Amino acid sequence: MSKEKWDRNRLFLSSGELEIVINENPVSLQASRRKKDIITSAICKVTSNCEFMLTDDVQIYIEWWIHEQNRYETDSSADVDNIIKPILDAISGPDGILINDCQVQAVDCRWLDFFNAEQRINIRIKMLDRDGWLLKDGLFFMHMWNGLCYPTWMDEENPENTLLIVEQMERMLMLRDERLRQKENYYLAKMLMPVQRIFHISRIKGFPVFKVEEIKDKIKAILKNQR
């Protein structure tokens, strides 16, 4: 990563928090696709500039700034509980900052009186694990088995490193599954796995996904060309 890119993201990784501020009205879960796309576009203008994808659990804090009169004396403002899902969807996926909103461990959502007629949304994303991130550039998922996919990063300069990770992850998941077949407690078996979270394939839409053997063949081809 270049020094410029690192400088843009260093504060986020060191603080463990990212704040997104958009000057748009929040929309409810029942809103039209067009209205939801406005929120998604505004949020992605911020998240697409982040070079990292969070891969572990997070907590989300949402503040909706709206004039009290608009909140109470009109029928156009959404319910507080209904504005959460469109926001979580917008921060998830390849252009977002999360793989999937299943990573959200807790949400705090509230509206606050705002003297300005224009509404505003403040979204704060707090990492629960400072090491729970990967570079977006080169990010892909290994499709293991049983629909389980492991996120990792293609090291173009040293592809041997990626190959080692792929082979190690394959061994660890096999050991874990063997313990589960022996009726061992899930949490004890989980200790055989790396810290990096594994995802079900249904939760990684839009990301590059390769089967393990495909990845191995790709890396071996890269190594062959480098010789």
Side-chain angles (χ1 to χ4, degrees):
M1 177 186 297
S2 69
K3 183 179 183 302
E4 292 77 11
K5 288 183 177 180
W6 173 250
D7 287 341
R8 285 203 305 266
N9 296 273
R10 180 173 52 187
L11 180 60
F12 170 44
L13 290 177
S14 62
S15 67
E17 293 189 3
L18 173 68
E19 185 172 24
I20 301 171
V21 179
I22 59 173
N23 295 313
E24 297 288 349
N25 299 358
V27 298
S28 69
L29 182 61
Q30 295 79 23
S32 67
R33 182 73 267 166
R34 181 184 63 81
K35 290 183 178 180
K36 289 179 182 177
D37 285 345
I38 293 174
I39 295 294
T40 300
S41 177
I43 291 175
C44 285
K45 284 182 180 179
V46 179
T47 57
S48 61
N49 289 322
C50 184
E51 306 295 331
F52 305 96
M53 184 68 69
L54 303 185
T55 57
D56 212 294
D57 290 350
V58 298
Q59 292 178 346
I60 307 292
Y61 301 87
I62 301 170
E63 292 180 348
W64 170 20
W65 293 78
I66 178 174
H67 196 290
E68 181 178 307
Q69 186 174 17
N70 291 335
R71 183 74 183 105
Y72 284 123
E73 299 182 19
T74 72
D75 61 357
S76 59
S77 63
D79 293 333
V80 170
D81 60 329
N82 273 341
I83 71 171
I84 297 173
K85 181 59 175 171
I87 291 173
L88 298 188
D89 287 343
I91 63 175
S92 303
D95 293 325
I97 192 69
L98 303 181
I99 302 295
N100 184 269
D101 59 11
C102 68
Q103 296 168 243
V104 179
Q105 188 182 85
V107 179
D108 183 309
C109 184
R110 65 190 68 193
W111 74 269
L112 300 170
D113 188 19
F114 193 32
F115 63 87
N116 199 318
E118 295 182 356
Q119 298 181 37
R120 189 177 78 190
I121 310 172
N122 285 34
I123 306 161
R124 185 160 55 92
I125 303 168
K126 182 179 180 181
M127 301 170 65
L128 298 185
D129 180 357
R130 298 291 178 85
D131 296 323
W133 59 270
L134 286 172
L135 290 172
K136 284 184 178 180
D137 187 17
L139 174 67
F140 70 94
F141 284 81
M142 296 185 289
H143 186 185
M144 312 299 281
W145 48 83
N146 296 331
L148 298 181
C149 299
Y150 181 76
T152 190
W153 176 70
M154 178 62 73
D155 188 341
E156 296 289 352
E157 294 183 0
N158 298 290
E160 300 98 332
N161 295 336
T162 303
L163 182 59
L164 287 172
I165 292 172
V166 170
E167 293 175 340
Q168 180 68 5
M169 182 59 202
E170 191 176 19
R171 286 192 292 269
M172 295 171 103
L173 186 57
M174 289 176 65
L175 285 171
R176 188 208 72 159
D177 286 357
E178 179 59 31
R179 293 291 187 274
L180 292 177
R181 283 192 290 270
Q182 294 174 9
K183 308 300 182 183
E184 186 168 304
N185 180 279
Y186 168 81
Y187 296 100
L188 290 176
K190 183 182 176 182
M191 295 175 67
L192 296 169
M193 297 286 285
V195 174
Q196 187 67 261
R197 182 176 300 283
I198 199 165
F199 291 82
H200 190 270
I201 195 169
S202 63
R203 299 187 182 274
I204 55 173
K205 295 177 181 178
F207 291 94
V209 182
F210 302 98
K211 293 183 178 179
V212 173
E213 292 306 317
E214 291 176 331
I215 301 168
K216 290 180 179 179
D217 290 343
K218 181 178 180 180
I219 296 174
K220 290 173 182 176
I222 294 173
L223 292 172
K224 185 177 179 180
N225 291 333
Q226 288 181 348
R227 293 193 183 103

